[in-house]
Amino acid sequence: MISLRNVQTTDLEQLLLIENEGFSIEEAATKEAFVERIQLIADTFIVAEKEGEILGYINGPIINQPYITDNLFKEIKENPKRGGYQSILGLAVSKQARNQGIAKILIEKMEELVEENEREGITLTCKQELVSFYERFGFVNHGMSESKHGGVNWYNMVKLRKGMK
């Protein structure tokens, strides 16, 4: 049985292993970035685990615009209680747990948080090969992002909350 919960400080080492499996050195979040996210945005940092082992996670702060900018990878603030856009800075699943629907479960949990907290929607950036993956979950490709994070071309993907235009 897979369970979802908010991140805890004791998760750090397992999270770093999964992050570095899923992203290149240039793209991966640093240990310092994870520590900051755990401290400041645990309410939107969700971990999927089974029998005490972390299988994957999703995280990101609430931002006041529909697109992610590179400064978010360096500096974040605590989340407001209501409104804004739920950004996703990281979604990763451990190698041995891939293709089991864990990313889907994590995205669905973020969608629930968006509804509960009356957010505008969810925004993320992804590489071209993942555009169709996110489109399956109802995200809309808004074209090339201004982000140059990790020296890669990223696409803006946005999914508005039900009833939002």
Side-chain angles (χ1 to χ4, degrees), residues 33 36-38 40-46 58-80 83-90 110 113-114 119 121-124:
E36 186 178 51
R37 291 177 198 176
I38 290 166
L40 294 176
I41 59 164
D43 56 327
T44 56
F45 194 142
I46 309 299
I58 193 168
N59 70 72
I62 303 305
I63 60 176
N64 59 10
Q65 79 269 1
Y67 303 128
I68 290 172
T69 52
D70 282 347
N71 62 322
L72 282 178
F73 293 97
K74 298 173 188 70
E75 185 185 342
I76 57 168
K77 300 188 244 345
E78 285 186 38
N79 290 326
Y85 286 86
Q86 172 66 61
S87 73
I88 296 178
L89 296 186
M110 275 303 199
L113 292 175
V114 162
R119 310 281 184 216
I122 303 177
T123 181
L124 59 88

Side-chain angles (χ1 to χ4, degrees), residues 1 58 99 101 138:
M1 186 66 201
I58 193 168
N99 302 312

